[in-house]
Amino acid sequence: MKGSSKHVFEPTHVFANLSPRIFSPENENKNENQHRRVEVSGTAEFTIPPDLCILTVVIENKKEKAEEAKASVARRLEYITQTLISHGVQNHDIEVTENLSRIGGRGFFHMEAQVDATFHNDLQKCLRLSNLFVEKLDRSVKVLSPVLKHDTQRLEATRKQTCLTALANARQKAVEVCRLMGQTLGRPVFITENVVREWRGCGSPEQSDPPGGVEGPLPTVEDVISGPINVQRRMKEQSVTVRVDVTATFDIRCKLEKEKK
């Protein structure tokens, strides 16, 4: 049917041996449960958007005297830092870098300060402050496009959660198979993590670049001036998807046969 989305269903792999035990002189001393096992596969997938947003503001000024250049930058720097703090940004999330250089021999002093403010799971606040600085400050201040990143600890926690969820899905599948066959699931025997995939963006792994644990570089002032700012699009493009496929083998518990009446 035209206009309908295409769904791709992956096959479910279940391998079970529920045949009755065969006793013979050769195998009567063997573990009676070794041929009664069920093997299933499990899959889990999680997508997490960037949770860190870094706003960079660059302040520049040049004067004939070093003190005048520093004072001019200091006034704007104080306004920026106080505005960030008043909007709930913590001091440890604000990084300030200052540099004074001489240009044209002894002609002018160039003072530059850079403020990097990190926002945790608050993209909207970052954008509001970015718009505020653009509106209130003059051309000596450049507001760069926000940089989106993932917290490394949260990303690692998501990887572990994906693996455990895939295993839980496999076990639940094995429970349902045994219930359907009138059996009881036993302890796990083998657990194999078959495939672990990570990719960036909203497409498939083949259509997207793997994250590789490296975030994109910080934008330069020229990049921001020449290119459009589309944070929502970049939020989707930099989302990381983690998928884990596992295979698990479980023993099938033996039920005591009822005594014949």
Side-chain angles (χ1 to χ4, degrees):
M1 183 174 63
K2 295 182 178 181
S4 61
S5 59
K6 184 178 180 181
H7 298 279
V8 179
F9 297 94
E10 296 186 358
T12 299
H13 302 287
V14 180
F15 307 92
N17 186 340
L18 304 179
S19 59
R21 297 182 300 279
I22 301 176
F23 293 96
S24 66
E26 290 78 12
N27 63 6
E28 61 182 357
N29 294 325
K30 294 182 180 180
N31 186 352
E32 61 179 8
N33 293 330
Q34 63 180 343
H35 298 301
R36 299 175 62 83
R37 292 176 178 174
V38 57
E39 180 179 312
V40 296
S41 61
T43 301
E45 183 177 301
F46 286 92
T47 299
I48 53 174
D51 55 339
L52 297 180
C53 185
I54 303 175
L55 177 62
T56 299
V57 182
V58 180
I59 313 165
E60 294 180 305
N61 200 291
K62 63 179 181 178
K63 297 286 185 180
E64 292 184 358
K65 296 182 178 180
E67 293 300 326
E68 293 179 356
K70 292 192 292 183
S72 177
V73 170
R75 290 193 298 270
R76 294 167 175 82
L77 179 60
E78 183 179 3
Y79 169 78
I80 292 171
T81 54
Q82 291 301 321
T83 301
L84 291 170
I85 294 174
S86 65
H87 283 77
V89 181
Q90 302 298 318
N91 286 323
H92 61 267
D93 288 327
I94 301 175
E95 182 179 353
V96 179
T97 305
E98 299 179 76
N99 180 62
L100 177 65
S101 60
R102 190 190 301 271
I103 59 176
R106 297 184 178 181
F108 291 91
F109 289 92
H110 179 260
M111 181 65 188
E112 182 180 31
Q114 178 173 315
V115 181
D116 297 311
T118 302
F119 298 80
H120 300 267
N121 293 309
D122 204 341
L123 175 62
Q124 295 304 318
K125 180 188 292 186
C126 177
L127 295 178
R128 287 197 302 270
L129 286 172
S130 175
N131 295 335
L132 178 64
F133 293 147
V134 171
E135 178 184 357
K136 297 296 183 180
L137 299 173
D138 54 26
R139 293 185 177 180
S140 64
V141 179
K142 297 181 178 65
V143 182
L144 282 75
S145 177
V147 176
L148 305 177
K149 288 193 172 187
H150 288 85
D151 181 80
T152 54
Q153 293 182 353
R154 181 173 178 235
L155 195 58
E156 183 62 27
T158 301
R159 295 188 181 107
K160 295 178 181 178
Q161 180 186 5
T162 307
C163 181
L164 294 177
T165 303
L167 181 58
N169 292 340
R171 186 183 185 283
Q172 182 61 32
K173 188 187 298 183
V175 170
E176 295 175 0
V177 168
C178 289
R179 184 183 299 116
L180 181 64
M181 300 297 179
Q183 303 292 319
T184 302
L185 187 68
R187 63 181 180 84
V189 180
F190 301 109
I191 298 175
T192 304
E193 191 177 57
N194 299 321
V195 179
V196 179
R197 301 177 185 174
E198 286 189 29
W199 66 93
R200 195 182 303 278
C202 54
S204 62
E206 293 76 15
Q207 298 172 341
S208 305
D209 297 329
V214 179
E215 300 284 353
L218 295 175
T220 63
V221 177
E222 291 74 14
D223 293 336
V224 176
I225 295 176
S226 60
I229 299 177
N230 193 334
V231 180
Q232 294 295 341
R233 175 180 57 82
R234 289 194 288 117
M235 178 72 76
K236 295 181 180 179
E237 290 177 350
Q238 296 188 30
S239 295
V240 173
T241 300
V242 182
R243 175 179 175 134
V244 176
D245 299 332
V246 301
T247 300
T249 302
F250 298 87
D251 274 335
I252 298 177
R253 292 179 183 174
C254 297
K255 294 184 177 180
L256 297 177
E257 297 182 0
K258 297 182 179 180
E259 295 182 2
K260 297 182 179 180
K261 293 184 180 180

